[in-house]
């Protein structure tokens, strides 16, 4: 079961939101991960959420940059999907059984 908590490994830290007239939102959030496989999983999971137009995760900062249509989805929905894929994100913690089934190189909880 996914926990809605802030973990010490990935504090709640939204970098701000920008919205344009069409309802498209540019948002940056912290997402825990450790390697290129994590990057691919985080980005693909975010992009799989209906309404997400782009997702780019910076491995160095752990920041996920998103463009999404807020009339179609919410940041909470995107965060939940990412946690369910195995990545803590400041608001939602990945279920332990999902996290433990990630490849060893993807284990970011130390």
């Amino acid at each position: 079961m996914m926990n809605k908590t802030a973990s010490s490994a990935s504090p709640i830290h939204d970098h701000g939101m920008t919205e344009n007239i069409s309802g498209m939102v540019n948002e940056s959030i912290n997402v825990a991960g450790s390697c290129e496989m994590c990057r691919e999983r985080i980005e693909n999971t975010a992009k799989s959420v209906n309404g997400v137009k782009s997702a780019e995760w910076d491995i160095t900062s752990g920041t996920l940059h998103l463009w999404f249509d807020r009339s179609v989805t919410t940041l909470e929905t995107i965060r939940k999907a990412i946690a369910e894929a195995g990545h803590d994100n400041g608001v939602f913690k990945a279920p332990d059984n999902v996290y433990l089934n990630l490849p060893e190189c993807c284990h970011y909880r130390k």
Side-chain angles (χ1 to χ4, degrees):
M1 173 180 245
M2 183 175 33
N3 298 321
K4 186 174 181 176
T5 64
S7 72
S8 60
S10 55
I12 297 174
H13 186 76
D14 289 349
H15 298 276
M17 178 176 69
T18 305
E19 181 177 357
N20 67 21
I21 196 79
S22 68
M24 290 296 294
V25 175
N26 180 339
E27 183 84 42
S28 296
I29 62 172
N30 283 351
V31 178
S34 60
C35 66
E36 286 298 315
M37 287 176 56
C38 292
R39 181 189 59 78
E40 186 174 336
R41 185 180 310 104
I42 292 163
E43 291 177 359
N44 288 340
T45 299
K47 290 182 217 174
S48 74
V49 175
N50 190 27
V52 174
K53 302 302 179 199
S54 73
E56 294 182 17
W57 184 70
D58 182 281
I59 193 168
T60 304
S61 67
T63 302
L64 177 63
H65 303 280
L66 297 161
W67 273 102
F68 63 95
D69 185 337
R70 76 176 191 157
S71 69
V72 177
T73 193
T74 65
L75 187 56
E76 180 176 16
T77 299
I78 299 164
R79 284 183 180 273
K80 283 180 184 178
I82 292 167
E84 289 169 2
H87 295 275
D88 300 348
N89 57 68
V91 175
F92 294 102
K93 183 179 179 219
D96 288 338
N97 65 321
V98 174
Y99 173 77
L100 293 172
N101 282 319
L102 294 176
E104 189 66 33
C105 63
C106 297
H107 288 178
Y108 51 84
R109 295 177 189 162
K110 305 294 179 202

